[in-house]
């Protein structure tokens, strides 16, 4: 029975921004749990094709769709294409996002708006059009990828924190409005992970590397695969009465203030 609770066989899962990084790690987890995987990106078709080939090499049934999550017309067309070619979407992971590291007093208004548009407005756009079929089917799972910045601030990421804080509340309001249709809407808040993007700073002696190792009670960077379990849980029957929650996968950073317990 426990295995069946987490089985995603027969489900169609759309993961936005799933051609690399943490999005790819979560998408791989859903695919390995049996879901038919919809791979999304917007930078290039070749990048999507490469990602689809990678998923297929793992035995995952994967399909690629290039569209801009901030463009409502493109989103509507893509969802219609997905539903006609693959099937209705049972699981949506709103993962696509950007960050611009600039002090607020120096940040251009257009840059601030761009971060809000990608990180907060796009989950609303995609969810709005995916959820209509979920409502008709009386079931569905939506996962919004939040952040530790949904809870706290940090220098130079004001726009990102504003978007991710808003996404936390959007998650709660989606759950409030759609739970009556047997739709669960939750979030995942990743901590700091060992990815290709963080590789340059994950070296001995780098101040930020030392900060993460000392600040995290687990005393390490997260492995991207650590997110797979959270994504599978929130996509499966195991979470059918979990709604409006943000699951932080951060090695315990948000659980403590000051020096963690593993320091002398």
């Amino acid at each position: 029975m426990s295995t069946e609770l987490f089985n995603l066989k027969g489900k169609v899962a759309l993961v936005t921004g799933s051609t690399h990084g943490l999005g790819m790690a979560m998408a791989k987890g859903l695919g390995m749990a049996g879901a038919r995987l919809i791979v999304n990106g917007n930078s290039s078709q070749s990048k999507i094709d490469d990602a689809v080939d990678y998923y297929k090499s793992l035995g995952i049934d994967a399909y690629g769709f290039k569209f801009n999550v901030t463009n409502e017309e493109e989103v509507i067309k893509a969802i219609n294409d997905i539903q006609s070619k693959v099937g209705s979407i049972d699981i949506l992971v709103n993962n696509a996002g950007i960050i611009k590291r600039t002090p607020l007093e120096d940040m251009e208004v257009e840059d601030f708006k761009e971060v809000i548009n990608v990180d907060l407005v796009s989950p609303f756009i995609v969810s709005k059009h995916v959820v209509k079929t979920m409502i008709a089917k009386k079931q569905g799972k939506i996962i919004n990828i939040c952040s530790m910045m949904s809870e706290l601030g940090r220098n130079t990421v004001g726009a990102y924190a504003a978007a991710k804080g808003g996404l936390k509340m959007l998650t709660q309001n989606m759950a409030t409005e759609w739970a009556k249709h047997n739709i669960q809407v939750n979030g995942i808040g990743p901590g700091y992970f060992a990815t290709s993007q963080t590789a340059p700073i994950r070296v001995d002696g780098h101040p930020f590397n030392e900060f993460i190792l000392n600040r995290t009670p687990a005393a390490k960077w997260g492995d991207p695969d650590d997110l797979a379990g959270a994504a599978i849980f929130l996509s499966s029957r195991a979470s059918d009465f979990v709604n409006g929650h943000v699951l932080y996968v951060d090695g315990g950073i948000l659980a403590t203030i000051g020096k963690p317990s593993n320091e002398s």
Side-chain angles (χ1 to χ4, degrees):
M1 180 179 176
S2 60
T3 302
E4 284 304 308
L5 281 175
F6 298 94
N7 188 349
L8 301 181
K9 186 176 181 180
K11 302 296 185 181
V12 175
L14 166 60
V15 183
T16 67
S18 49
T19 60
H20 65 283
L22 300 184
M24 177 171 272
M26 289 183 284
K28 181 176 74 172
L30 298 183
M32 296 298 283
R36 303 176 75 190
L37 187 61
I38 308 299
V39 182
N40 161 257
N42 190 48
S43 59
S44 71
Q45 186 62 49
S46 62
K47 194 169 183 180
I48 293 174
D49 293 340
D50 288 345
V52 168
D53 288 343
Y54 167 72
Y55 291 121
K56 286 184 175 180
S57 73
L58 300 175
I60 296 170
D61 191 11
Y63 307 81
F65 288 83
K66 182 179 181 295
F67 61 93
N68 182 345
V69 292
T70 68
N71 185 312
E72 188 171 20
E73 290 184 1
E74 287 191 28
V75 169
I76 293 171
K77 181 180 183 303
I79 291 172
N80 288 337
D81 286 347
I82 291 166
Q83 291 184 154
S84 64
K85 295 175 181 177
V86 185
S88 60
I89 297 165
D90 303 289
I91 301 161
L92 168 63
V93 182
N94 286 308
N95 169 73
I98 61 170
I99 188 170
K100 292 180 181 287
R101 293 181 173 86
T102 309
L104 285 171
E105 69 270 21
D106 298 325
M107 193 168 207
E108 297 294 336
V109 171
E110 289 308 310
D111 288 337
F112 189 94
K113 287 180 177 179
E114 182 183 4
V115 174
I116 298 295
N117 199 32
V118 176
D119 294 357
L120 179 58
V121 179
S122 78
F124 159 70
I125 292 173
V126 181
S127 299
K128 170 187 174 182
H129 293 288
V130 168
V131 81
K132 293 175 182 179
T133 302
M134 292 181 174
I135 290 173
K137 292 173 61 176
K138 289 292 183 180
Q139 64 176 13
K141 303 280 187 175
I142 297 175
I143 303 172
N144 293 322
I145 304 307
C146 298
S147 165
M148 291 193 301
M149 302 306 112
S150 298
E151 299 291 344
L152 46 78
R154 188 166 176 268
N155 288 338
T156 76
V157 296
Y160 182 81
K164 293 299 186 177
L167 187 57
K168 172 189 172 183
M169 295 311 301
L170 180 61
T171 299
Q172 292 185 356
N173 220 83
M174 286 176 172
T176 299
E177 295 192 23
W178 297 336
K180 63 188 176 185
H181 302 293
N182 190 33
I183 296 167
Q184 292 79 51
V185 187
N186 293 286
I188 294 176
Y192 290 94
F193 282 81
T195 65
S196 58
Q197 290 94 332
T198 60
I201 61 176
R202 284 186 288 106
V203 294
D204 290 344
H206 193 288
F208 196 74
N209 184 58
E210 299 302 316
F211 168 76
I212 294 302
L213 296 181
N214 290 330
R215 182 68 180 81
T216 307
K220 64 178 182 178
W221 292 75
D223 184 316
D225 288 340
D226 292 336
L227 284 173
I232 294 168
F233 168 63
L234 293 177
S235 299
S236 69
R237 285 175 47 211
S239 61
D240 278 355
F241 203 56
V242 179
N243 227 338
H245 173 76
V246 179
L247 175 55
Y248 291 100
V249 186
D250 65 356
I253 291 180
L254 290 177
T256 185
I257 186 169
K259 291 185 178 182
S261 58
N262 63 333
E263 284 191 57
S264 58

